[in-house]
Amino acid sequence: MGALLDIKGLRKQFGGVTALAGVDLAVDEGEILGVVGPNGSGKTTLFNSVTGVHKPTAGTVSWRGRDITGIPANAVSRAGIAYTFQQAMAFPGLSVFENVQIATEHCSNALANFPWTTPASLLEFVGLSGLSEEKAGILPFGRLRLLGLALALATRPSLILLDEPAAGLNDRETKTLVHLVEQFPEHGISVCVIDHDMKLMQMLCRRLAVLDFGSKIADGPTADVLNDPKVLEVYLGGAL
Ligand SMILES: Nc1ncnc2c1ncn2[C@@H]1O[C@H](COP(=O)(O)OP(=O)(O)OP(=O)(O)O)[C@@H](O)[C@H]1O
């Protein structure tokens, strides 16, 4: 069986800056894949070039065997790919419940056996039931992150791209996040996650891909990749 998401030769140029220099990356059904790399190595550009935020300069993105290269963000979402940004996106003046309600109402994906089809079930899953009447704008950062996860799940995706989901979270919040994300594959949701927190990546991902200057320099089982001399060299020549 082919990969769920199959990226081939992806290239993104911003004027004279080569953010992606021809990246191949496949996400398989049911996996949690990690993408790491130093600042500016192209991780967010990779997500942006898959999700319609940027049009790739060259290369292809296939989704379940269909070419989706350069399609707009709303079409990517309808296809079943959700994206959580580094900054959680929610309407600050609306309640937590209303935010999730709007997201569920705009969902047209009919994923069989999807467990969280109502705003209440989504809020319960991410542990925000008790805050459903609060305005999203007053939520502390960690809770806002959980709301971002609920909003992504509300689109009933088959794949979620998480961009630095644990940035700014404390240890307890990070554990909560890991506990939630670990459950996604058993509900038919694959995951591709970017983060700098190697402890988090080791907890979540059996496979890691490493970007450096817009090129993939390693891709394989997490423990192997973290011991790869090329990867150690990129991380300041030190142990991770
Ligand atoms: N919209 C843009 N316009 C111009 N250059 C950009 C743009 N977005 C990214 N870049 C450049 O592309 C390169 C890759 O950036 P990107 O944000 O993808 O890296 P990253 O690995 O996600 O970094 P970080 O870990 O710091 O978030 C960098 O040199 C960055 O300055």
Side-chain angles (χ1 to χ4, degrees), residues 129-149:
S129 298
L131 295 173
S132 57
E133 298 310 317
E134 299 293 343
K135 295 260 185 288
I138 62 136
L139 288 185
F141 189 75
R143 302 297 169 94
L144 198 56
R145 274 298 165 98
L146 294 173
L147 176 58
L149 214 51

Side-chain angles (χ1 to χ4, degrees), residues 35-94:
V35 178
V36 299
N39 292 118
S41 56
K43 304 178 297 296
T44 297
T45 303
L46 180 71
F47 277 10
N48 285 341
S49 302
V50 168
T51 55
V53 178
H54 297 319
K55 262 199 189 324
T57 308
T60 58
V61 180
S62 303
W63 172 245
R64 299 186 185 281
R66 182 167 75 93
D67 186 358
I68 61 160
T69 316
I71 69 171
N74 59 352
V76 173
S77 167
R78 274 201 307 277
I81 303 175
Y83 187 8
T84 70
F85 295 85
Q86 286 179 16
Q87 298 298 323
M89 308 284 254
F91 296 111
L94 297 183

Side-chain angles (χ1 to χ4, degrees), residues 185-198:
E186 69 202 55
H187 297 296
I189 305 166
S190 307
V191 180
C192 185
V193 53
I194 294 172
D195 214 286
H196 288 284
D197 180 343
M198 290 301 175

Side-chain angles (χ1 to χ4, degrees), residues 17 30 48 50 55 59 74 82 89 93 95 124 142 144 156 171 173 205 212 216 223 236:
V17 176
N48 285 341
V50 168
K55 262 199 189 324
N74 59 352
M89 308 284 254
S95 73
E124 191 184 337
L144 198 56
R156 299 189 202 175
D171 283 354
E173 291 167 334
C205 310
D212 188 33
K216 190 173 79 172
L236 301 173

